[in-house]
Amino acid sequence: MTDLSPIPALGGSTARITKIGALTLAENAGLGLASLALRRGGAQPVPMGLALPGPGLWHAGNGIAAFWTGPGQWMLEGADRAEEDFARAVKLAAPECSVTEQTDGFVALEVVSSAGAAPIERLCEKLVNVDLGRFGPGSATRTGLHHMTVFVIRRAEDRLALIGMRTLAGALWHAVESAAQHLEGTGK
């Protein structure tokens, strides 16, 4: 019988994690993702009890989270739900919407600072074009990072998520790791 266990986007047998100074970078291989779009004339749902956020925002609650991706469109996140049919659960909670499974199309990198907001903000300054004065906890945006497009989510003062295309997982990891190393003076 063939083993059909999921493979982390970065190719290891387990999700990659590394600590560089005050920053910990971790591949979040357990994150389930599903896109949700309103249909013409449809009312905005409250899937699984979560109020969907407006432009530039991210909300979390009831074991899920969501960020706005465009007019009438959101990406929903299910922590530790990558190995289940997360999109089906979202569709059951929002039957009048169009829902598409996105888990296998993306990689999520979580960056956590043990020294508060400053290291996260310095890393953001090196990686992405966001106005840090307006990009506090609960903010989300889509922007460029090197040659890639990523979603950037400020989960908390000391937490940042970067979600990019799975096919570019290695390039995304390298860009974030290299920037963190340069901030710590350990870059090559």
Side-chain angles (χ1 to χ4, degrees):
M1 177 157 238
T2 304
D3 179 13
L4 297 177
S5 299
I7 299 170
L10 291 166
S13 59
T14 60
R16 191 177 300 178
I17 186 168
T18 191
K19 185 166 175 39
I20 302 168
L23 297 174
T24 300
L25 286 57
E27 176 186 11
N28 186 350
L31 188 66
L33 295 168
S35 60
L36 181 146
L38 297 180
R39 292 184 181 154
R40 186 176 304 152
Q44 185 168 315
V46 183
M48 301 175 210
L50 181 69
L52 296 173
L57 297 175
W58 171 82
H59 290 170
N62 302 325
I64 65 168
F67 55 94
W68 185 88
T69 58
Q73 300 175 37
W74 298 266
M75 185 76 77
L76 276 71
E77 304 175 291
D80 300 318
R81 297 183 79 169
E83 292 186 37
E84 65 182 71
D85 191 350
F86 180 60
R88 183 174 187 272
V90 172
K91 181 65 175 173
L92 290 172
E96 300 301 316
C97 294
S98 296
V99 176
T100 306
E101 177 64 46
Q102 298 291 333
T103 304
D104 290 341
F106 290 90
V107 61
L109 303 183
E110 306 285 342
V111 183
V112 178
S113 168
S114 62
I120 292 289
E121 291 173 354
R122 287 194 339 259
L123 183 67
C124 278
E125 289 172 345
K126 295 288 183 191
L127 290 173
V128 293
N129 184 18
V130 295
D131 179 354
L132 291 173
R134 294 181 174 184
F135 201 74
S139 296
T141 193
R142 187 172 192 159
T143 190
L145 187 154
H146 289 242
H147 62 283
M148 302 164 277
T149 300
V150 295
F151 293 107
V152 182
I153 304 163
R154 186 80 181 264
R155 298 199 190 281
E157 286 288 336
D158 62 348
R159 295 179 178 274
L160 183 73
L162 300 158
I163 299 176
M165 299 304 297
R166 185 180 180 97
T167 56
L168 296 171
L172 179 57
W173 180 273
H174 176 74
V176 176
E177 183 180 49
S178 294
Q181 288 171 340
H182 285 298
L183 288 172
E184 286 299 316
T186 62
K188 299 180 177 156

